[in-house]
Amino acid sequence: MYQSSRPLRGDSPVSIIGAGIAGAWQALLFAQAGHAVTLHERSSDAMLLATSHWAGGMLAPYCESEVAEPIISRLGLRALDLWRRELPDTPFNGSLVVAHARERADFERFARLTSGHRRLDARGLAELEPSLEGRFRDALFFADEGHVEPRRVLPKLHQRIIAAGGTIKFNSEPQPSEIEGLVIDCRGLSARDTEPELRGVKGELILIETCEVELARPVRLIHPRWPLYVIPREDHLFMLGATSIEAEDTGVSVRSALELLGAAYAVHPAFAEARIVEFGSGLRPAYPDNLPRISIAKDHIAVNGLYRHGFLIAPALAELTLSFVERGRIDNEVMQCA
Ligand SMILES: Cc1cc2nc3c(=O)[nH]c(=O)nc-3n(C[C@H](O)[C@H](O)[C@H](O)COP(=O)(O)OP(=O)(O)OC[C@H]3O[C@@H](n4cnc5c(N)ncnc54)[C@H](O)[C@@H]3O)c2cc1C
């Protein structure tokens, strides 16, 4: 980081476009810092047009370091502190990684490439997650990871923004060029008019419901193609996710459904009797390098490319943007100035 010679208008009103996870965190930190924040969102408060609506909500910087660049771990670790600070009821129950015998080599590879875990034997796993007794020979336990339920946490963040003095306008769809003053553009994939490099990476998911299995934390199953996981939700719901496909349609293929349901069945056969509640998919906004970017051009700041880490890194990106606006601090790894 270095100090820019020309801090931007720290006391100005701020318009934020897009109330997904990126925009919500920007709005919260700017409102708390005393800025006059208006957050515009084209959806209703159900947020059905946001990728964030479809996310798993895992806050898993250690697991993600298997495939993600170090910058994701840096932002993610900082963001865990911000989640704890702003929403202290966020569950930090850790996460588990398990594998069946035929994926043993990949399991060991995952253990080598990641940190922040300890190995549990079958007994240790059963003590932590009684439903998984007898299911796996061992597991990796990432004790410091958390998870949120996107469809519950977005409304909570929106409430916090209002409590901090911000204004939220739902069903409001301005273009950044129409707004005077400082604009923070968090439109996700819709920002392609100004961010033409963005692409959508499809992630499919299934929601199921059963009282037969109880889990307190996400369970990842090592899989040759995708990190597949089962995330417990409230009311006996479980989210099965997520594929990662270079396509921008929003359907769910039979093949993906089979793999997701197969993963759940592999974690626990009782999932076979679960009720399917929903199939869905979201498009992750990604730049060609799959890394997040804060692009700064005069009064327009774009925060985008959160790819598969939006929930994990959004708080840290908001902190960096605020620090730029108030003190002119530039983070060379994430920020690009025109
Ligand atoms: C299946 C799946 C699972 C995932 N799991 C995880 C996970 O476990 N952990 C994790 O960290 N990440 C996960 N992700 C990634 C995460 O969902 C994304 O990184 C994140 O949602 C991107 O957030 P965003 O705010 O940039 O975009 P969005 O959530 O798409 O928000 C952009 C918002 O801008 C609004 N908008 C657009 N144009 C306008 C306009 N002109 N005016 C007003 N509003 C506008 C849109 O309606 C939208 O609400 C997952 C993604 C998918 C698809």
Side-chain angles (χ1 to χ4, degrees):
M1 270 208 200
Y2 72 87
Q3 199 85 15
S4 142
S5 55
R6 189 175 65 87
L8 254 190
R9 318 161 43 176
D11 56 350
S12 62
V14 180
S15 301
I16 297 164
I17 311 185
I21 196 63
W25 269 98
Q26 297 281 335
L28 179 59
L29 295 199
F30 274 83
Q32 285 179 339
H35 293 263
V37 166
T38 305
L39 175 58
H40 297 270
E41 169 56 46
R42 66 179 172 176
S43 309
S44 71
D45 60 357
M47 294 298 293
L48 296 181
L49 298 176
T51 299
S52 303
H53 178 77
W54 302 103
M58 288 184 297
L59 310 177
Y62 299 100
C63 282
E64 287 298 319
S65 67
E66 185 221 3
V67 285
E69 299 283 328
I71 178 68
I72 300 300
S73 305
R74 170 165 81 84
L75 295 172
L77 289 173
R78 173 62 192 144
L80 294 188
D81 292 338
L82 295 170
W83 278 107
R84 283 196 178 94
R85 187 183 85 189
E86 298 302 332
L87 293 177
D89 56 348
T90 302
F92 276 93
N93 299 338
S95 56
L96 284 165
V97 175
V98 296
H100 282 295
R102 64 179 178 279
E103 316 298 353
R104 197 72 217 164
D106 285 342
F107 177 82
E108 294 301 340
R109 183 176 168 280
F110 192 102
R112 270 199 314 279
L113 292 178
T114 55
S115 61
H117 57 75
R118 71 188 155 86
R119 206 174 274 253
L120 301 178
D121 60 12
R123 203 165 124 200
L125 175 60
E127 277 166 17
L128 202 65
E129 289 289 7
S131 280
L132 297 185
E133 182 170 9
R135 296 293 312 142
F136 298 95
R137 188 174 103 185
D138 55 6
L140 302 175
F141 179 43
F142 294 80
D144 294 331
E145 296 192 331
H147 69 284
V148 293
E149 191 164 340
R151 295 178 193 185
R152 290 179 189 266
V153 91
L154 282 173
K156 268 193 205 171
L157 284 169
H158 295 161
Q159 282 161 17
R160 297 287 311 268
I161 293 161
I162 292 164
T167 302
I168 307 185
K169 294 187 177 174
F170 289 105
N171 306 303
S172 167
E173 191 173 354
Q175 294 309 308
S177 55
E178 294 166 5
I179 298 179
E180 297 262 304
L182 180 60
V183 174
I184 303 180
D185 180 350
C186 300
R187 288 178 295 150
L189 209 51
S190 304
R192 276 196 278 206
D193 54 344
T194 50
E195 303 284 316
E197 286 183 299
L198 282 173
R199 73 185 198 288
V201 179
K202 181 162 84 162
E204 296 150 297
L205 62 118
I206 304 179
L207 266 184
I208 60 175
E209 180 187 19
T210 179
C211 297
E212 301 299 313
V213 184
E214 280 189 26
L215 295 174
R217 52 190 61 75
V219 179
R220 283 183 194 232
L221 183 70
I222 298 287
H223 181 275
R225 281 201 295 151
W226 295 305
L228 295 183
Y229 45 77
V230 179
I231 308 179
R233 301 280 199 232
E234 286 188 17
D235 303 327
H236 307 293
L237 293 171
F238 296 85
M239 173 185 159
L240 316 178
T243 57
S244 189
I245 298 175
E246 293 290 339
E248 294 201 0
D249 69 281
T250 48
V252 178
S253 72
V254 170
R255 179 196 179 113
S256 298
L258 287 171
E259 293 201 7
L260 293 171
L261 292 169
Y265 185 68
V267 168
H268 201 298
F271 280 125
E273 302 304 325
R275 188 172 72 87
I276 295 179
V277 175
E278 188 179 322
F279 288 97
S281 69
L283 297 178
R284 306 172 179 99
Y287 289 112
D289 57 6
N290 291 337
L291 295 178
R293 226 179 257 176
I294 301 176
S295 315
I296 300 161
K298 291 190 185 153
D299 276 354
H300 181 268
I301 300 178
V303 180
N304 218 317
L306 279 66
Y307 183 46
R308 44 178 295 155
H309 305 114
F311 282 78
L312 176 61
I313 63 176
L317 294 177
E319 190 176 58
L320 290 179
T321 313
L322 180 65
S323 160
F324 171 74
V325 169
E326 294 203 326
R327 292 185 292 284
R329 285 169 71 90
I330 294 179
D331 184 305
N332 287 317
E333 269 193 296
V334 189
M335 290 177 169
Q336 291 189 359
C337 298

